[in-house]
Amino acid sequence: FARIYWADQAAAFSNDRSVLVPLVQNDTELREYHCTLDLNPNWRGQITRWRIEPASGLSVNGVIGLGTIRVLNNAAFVPPQPSAKKKSP
């Protein structure tokens, strides 16, 4: 799991202002993860800071890369469809 925290100018980071995101453990593939923050009643106001950290397990080494973070309202969110692999002739 990873935990995503958010804060505004009036509040600090806290577990009340966070969500858990399940991750694939020991993964070597690039993945896209989606989470719905507005299910948390503390998701409101103008978010000014983010923090993302591992929430379970310890690793001595490893790499985490973030390519893009997008914040969308639910009306605009369309989950990506898995791409079909083409068969070779």
Side-chain angles (χ1 to χ4, degrees):
F1 287 93
R3 185 171 290 277
I4 299 175
Y5 297 87
W6 62 87
D8 57 26
Q9 291 183 356
F13 293 119
S14 72
N15 282 340
D16 291 341
R17 296 171 64 90
S18 71
V19 295
L20 278 174
V21 179
L23 304 176
V24 177
Q25 290 185 341
N26 302 315
D27 196 11
T28 59
E29 302 293 320
L30 293 176
R31 304 248 180 213
E32 229 179 78
Y33 291 97
H34 303 269
C35 62
T36 305
L37 302 175
D38 65 349
L39 295 177
N40 183 309
N42 295 310
W43 175 255
R44 63 180 183 277
Q46 183 176 7
I47 306 306
T48 59
R49 294 172 288 147
W50 295 91
R51 185 173 89 199
I52 302 170
E53 63 182 43
S56 62
L58 297 173
S59 176
V60 176
N61 55 29
V63 175
I64 296 174
L66 295 174
T68 303
I69 296 176
R70 294 186 302 161
V71 180
L72 306 169
N73 68 31
N74 277 340
F77 177 68
V78 177
Q81 300 299 313
S83 58
K85 291 187 177 183
K86 294 182 181 180
K87 292 183 179 181
S88 301

